[in-house]
């Protein structure tokens, strides 16, 4: 009898531990059986039950997640009790205000995980905090960390941690590369896709607590009763997971759907329309998060159409939100079609003088760089220059300029490079180690009363959510950094790999190495040394020859400024003087072409082709070296990936390998596009040991046309 039970048990273990094709749907929330039996047993001894007092939907979600997670990881059922009584050896979920073991938590959402009286206690001042703690505990197991003497205290560094979805009512996603929208507008509110809950779980596991459901180029439709009903249905699913919904608004909505003659923010009828609309929203969604606004930007209407300022527009919405807990996120992404202007300077020029005039419910949402989500940009000069206005940082997870869902680019280094940049602001908070962008954003420099980070989502209806399986890491990394911006890119990568791809230490190291280098590799074959390519179009292949557009700042030549002398945009005082927008210490880092770090050189200087650089090479030779080694390095990534073949799921392996092959092909093509085009100005040969491209410039141009269906 005992033998049969043993045989049956082993069979069961074998079945549950068998590696099966992984379609990526479960993201990093994979709770596959831990292979090491000793480890499993050790965990199981500390996780014999889950006790939870209180039955709020959020606590239930926390207990459910732990139960499902432990069942999978440990291969045995763990009961959920409403009262632990005298039992020990379990996990206790506890909400309360009193001092929980050790340090006091700073925030409502923070959590502690401590070992007390032979139990693991997950505590917080709020239900949501307990949920975050539950996910953190599961992460410990998923990354094979010890759990027997835990003492973790964790508070989020910013309050609003959000995803922005650029999703349209017709199902498409602006700059989305992973299928259609996740939100089934046609089926809502009647049918609730199970996927909404999984979306919420994934976000809650990172601490993301807000989601803007629709595109910043917003349709007024989202404010109709019909669509608000749909949004409310999503909010109902997200609520237990601590996630609030927000809506992007179309500024002239009072005209378009309200039948008013104007959308002037100072018009009393317009103000009343917004107040009534907001009331209607809160009836449906009592915890509605607020409004995100793109106004007077890229053709979108806004308050300036009525000779009003951004502050007039934002404050009108803040007034409508006054009776409620919601906020206004007003974007600073603006630039005018002025041939003499430098787009780099536009945001500070339009927003700087408004500092101090925004309502206290308003956060100005600023893209990380001054232009537009380029593979490398200096930080936006607004950070550190608006001490009286809370600034949110906006990153882009979807790979608009990063090779869509085909190229492997781990974005944490992009986020960190910006967050760790010193603005040299002299805020009232006197931060101990530099007024970095992160410390501006989290309020420590200027004491912002509200703080936020936003990421333009890379999710879609593809089964694996993000198209490229490795792009899941970008969602993950962004979420982890919204909670704690001090985490390193490497630590996040290693954690994600262990939870998602493999637990084998050597494979983790190899994959992490590839991920950490991927951004620099991409920059090298795409936009090295401070080149950028934000001109109009689909933002896929570089087209440096593009010089026709209704607006000068929508051409390629506007940005790179290649001529017979050299390359790059002079932003010193001899040029556009954009550098003057930064504090003097920052200017000092960048305004001397002799000492400006090479990754930023062409952002700020027009450099002669023959100029000798710190590497000992001329500008032309250095550019070629970077373009060629960048493209070659994709070959290196392919080799790295081939080495982990036996350590990752076969389906995922093949997906990534296939995409890397495409990436390699395109990297060579993109290198050729730039090199052949720039060579017409530089008039120099391709330096040894590199071979000249096999195609001509005309052939590259045709290739782009074919790809872009022109
Ligand atoms: C640019 C995108 C465009 C967006 C815009 C924005 O090309 O599709 O609408 O940013 O952020 O990057 O508003």
């Amino acid at each position: 009898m005992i033998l049969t039970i043993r045989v049956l048990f082993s069979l069961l273990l074998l079945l549950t531990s068998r590696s099966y094709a992984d379609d990526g749907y479960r993201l990093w929330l994979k709770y596959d059986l831990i292979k090491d039996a000793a480890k499993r047993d050790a965990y199981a001894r500390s996780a014999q039950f889950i006790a939870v007092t209180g039955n709020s939907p959020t606590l239930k979600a926390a207990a459910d997640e732990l139960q499902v997670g432990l069942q999978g990881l440990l291969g045995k059922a763990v009961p959920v009790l409403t009262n632990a009584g005298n039992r020990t050896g379990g996990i206790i979920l506890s909400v309360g205000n009193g001092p929980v073991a050790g340090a006091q938590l700073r925030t409502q959402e923070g959590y502690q995980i401590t070992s007390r009286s032979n139990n693991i206690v997950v505590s917080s001042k709020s239900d949501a905090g307990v949920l975050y703690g539950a996910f953190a505990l599961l992460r410990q197991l998923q990354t094979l960390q010890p759990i027997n003497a835990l003492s973790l205290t964790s508070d989020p560094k910013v309050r609003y941690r959000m995803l922005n979805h650029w999703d349209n009512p017709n199902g498409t996603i602006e700059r989305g590369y992973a299928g259609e929208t996740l939100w089934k507008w046609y089926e809502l509110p009647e049918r609730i896709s199970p996927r909404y809950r999984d979306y919420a779980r994934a976000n809650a596991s990172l601490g993301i607590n807000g989601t803007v459901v629709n595109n910043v180029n917003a349709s007024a439709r989202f404010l109709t009763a019909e669509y608000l009903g749909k949004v409310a249905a999503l909010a109902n699913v997200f609520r237990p997971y601590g996630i609030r919904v927000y809506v992007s608004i179309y500024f002239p909505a009072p005209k378009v759907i309200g039948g008013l003659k104007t959308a002037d923010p100072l018009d009393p009828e317009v103000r009343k329309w917004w107040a009534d609309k907001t009331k209607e929203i809160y009836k449906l969604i009592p915890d509605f998060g607020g409004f995100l606004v793109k106004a007077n930007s890229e053709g979108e209407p806004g308050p300036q159409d009525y000779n009003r300022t951004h502050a007039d527009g934002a404050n009108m919405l803040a007034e409508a939100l006054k009776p409620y807990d919601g906020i206004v996120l007003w974007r600073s992404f603006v630039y005018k079609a002025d041939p003499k202007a430098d787009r780099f300077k536009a945001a500070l020029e339009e927003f700087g003088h408004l500092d101090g005039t925004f309502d206290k419910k308003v956060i100005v949402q600023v893209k990380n760089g001054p232009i537009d989500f380029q593979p490398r940009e200096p930080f936006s000069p607004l950070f550190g220059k608006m001490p009286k206005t809370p600034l949110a940082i906006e990153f882009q997870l979807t790979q608009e300029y990063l090779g869509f869902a085909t190229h492997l680019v781990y974005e944490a280094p992009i986020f960190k490079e910006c967050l760790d940049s010193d603005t040299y602001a002299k805020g009232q908070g006197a931060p101990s180690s530099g007024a970095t962008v992160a410390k501006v954003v989290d309020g420590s420099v200027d004491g912002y009363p509200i703080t936020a980070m936003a990421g333009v989502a890379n999710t879609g209806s593809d089964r694996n959510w993000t198209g490229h399986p490795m792009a899941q890491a970008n969602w993950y990394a962004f979420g982890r950094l919204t909670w704690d911006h001090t985490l390193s890119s490497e630590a996040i990568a290693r954690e994600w790999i262990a939870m998602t791809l493999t637990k084998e230490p050597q494979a983790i190291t190899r994959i992490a190495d590839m991920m950490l280098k991927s951004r620099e590799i991409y920059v090298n074959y795409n936009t090295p040394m401070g080149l950028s390519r934000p001109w109009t179009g689909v933002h896929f292949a570089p087209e440096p020859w593009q010089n026709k557009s209704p607006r000068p700042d929508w051409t390629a030549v506007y940005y790179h400024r290649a001529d017979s002398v050299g390359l790059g945009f002079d932003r010193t005082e001899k040029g556009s003087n954009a550098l003057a927008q930064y504090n003097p210490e920052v200017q000092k880092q960048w305004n001397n072409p002799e000492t400006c770090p090479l990754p930023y050189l062409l952002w700020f200087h027009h450099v002669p082709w023959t100029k000798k650089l710190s590497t000992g090479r001329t500008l032309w030779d250095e550019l070629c070296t970077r373009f060629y080694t960048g493209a070659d390095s994709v070959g290196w990534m392919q080799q790295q990936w081939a080495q982990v073949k036996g350590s990752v799921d076969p389906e995922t392996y093949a997906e990534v390998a296939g995409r890397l092959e495409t990436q390699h092909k395109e990297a060579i093509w993109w290198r050729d596009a730039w090199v052949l085009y720039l060579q017409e100005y530089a008039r120099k040969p391709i330096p040894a040991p590199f071979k000249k491209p096999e195609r001509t410039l005309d052939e590259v141009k045709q290739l782009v046309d074919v790809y872009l269906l022109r």
Side-chain angles (χ1 to χ4, degrees), residues 540-542 545 664-674 695 699-701 703-705 707:
F540 174 58
W545 49 85
H664 198 186
K665 187 180 74 187
E666 288 174 354
I668 296 171
W669 161 21
W670 297 1
R671 168 200 80 190
D672 289 354
W674 273 110
R695 29 166 105 82
E699 283 165 352
V700 183
K701 288 183 183 171
L703 194 55
V704 179
D705 287 346
Y707 261 74

Side-chain angles (χ1 to χ4, degrees), residues 166 174-175 177 215-217 294 297-298 300 331 333 335 343 367 371-374 394 396 400-401 456 534-539:
W166 287 359
E174 179 147 348
R175 313 300 179 183
Y177 313 104
N215 193 356
V216 287
N217 297 317
K294 172 175 179 177
S297 160
E298 298 189 324
E300 291 295 333
R331 297 174 88 227
F333 178 67
Y335 59 107
R343 174 174 169 186
K367 286 190 182 182
I371 305 273
D372 191 11
F373 300 138
Q374 295 305 291
E394 178 180 312
Q396 193 182 44
E400 175 178 356
Y401 293 99
V456 180
W535 52 90
T536 186
V538 297
H539 300 163

Side-chain angles (χ1 to χ4, degrees), residues 307-537:
N307 287 324
R308 312 297 186 199
T309 67
H310 287 289
D312 292 331
N315 294 348
M316 168 193 68
L317 295 171
E319 183 186 83
L321 284 163
K322 200 164 179 191
Y324 317 100
D325 191 24
I327 55 167
V328 180
L329 294 134
W330 191 274
R331 297 174 88 227
S332 70
F333 178 67
V334 294
Y335 59 107
K336 299 254 154 61
D338 176 355
K340 285 200 239 84
D342 177 0
R343 174 174 169 186
F344 192 113
K345 301 198 298 190
L348 191 62
E349 280 172 351
E350 277 198 43
F351 280 80
H353 65 97
L354 296 175
D355 191 27
T357 65
F358 288 96
D359 185 279
K360 60 180 190 313
K361 272 178 169 292
V362 178
I363 304 186
V364 171
Q365 183 164 310
V366 185
K367 286 190 182 182
N368 60 297
I371 305 273
D372 191 11
F373 300 138
Q374 295 305 291
R376 168 168 281 122
E377 286 197 42
F379 67 90
S380 164
L382 266 74
F383 296 113
K385 283 293 169 82
M386 307 250 326
K388 298 189 205 116
T389 311
L391 299 183
I393 195 162
E394 178 180 312
F395 288 115
Q396 193 182 44
L397 317 186
T398 190
Q399 293 177 227
E400 175 178 356
Y401 293 99
L402 295 170
F404 296 1
T406 330
H407 293 223
L408 191 167
V409 182
Y410 175 50
E411 293 168 344
I414 305 184
F415 308 153
K416 287 289 285 182
E417 189 171 300
C418 176
L419 290 166
D420 293 345
S421 297
D422 200 335
T423 68
Y424 291 92
K426 313 264 178 292
Q428 44 170 297
S432 52
S433 61
T436 58
V437 171
K439 288 184 178 174
V440 171
V441 170
D442 76 12
S444 24
V445 173
D446 293 309
Y448 295 158
I450 44 176
T451 54
M453 278 173 77
V456 180
N458 60 355
T459 49
S461 58
D462 279 7
R463 179 73 190 157
N464 73 0
W465 303 84
T466 55
H468 200 309
M470 304 291 283
Q472 293 180 357
N474 294 333
W475 178 6
Y476 185 87
F478 168 75
R480 295 286 283 134
L481 288 170
T482 63
W483 186 275
D484 182 1
H485 55 66
T486 67
L487 294 171
S488 75
S489 301
E490 181 176 355
I492 299 172
R494 297 185 74 91
E495 196 177 88
W496 176 80
I497 298 165
M499 292 166 80
T500 315
L501 296 177
T502 175
K503 300 211 183 340
E504 287 175 29
Q506 268 198 334
I508 293 179
T509 300
R510 209 178 277 281
I511 299 170
D513 187 27
M514 176 178 83
M515 286 169 70
L516 289 164
K517 291 186 175 132
S518 62
R519 184 278 189 116
E520 208 58 50
I521 291 171
Y522 184 87
V523 166
N524 278 339
Y525 66 76
N526 193 270
T527 43
M529 297 175 78
L531 286 172
S532 59
R533 50 183 203 84
W535 52 90
T536 186

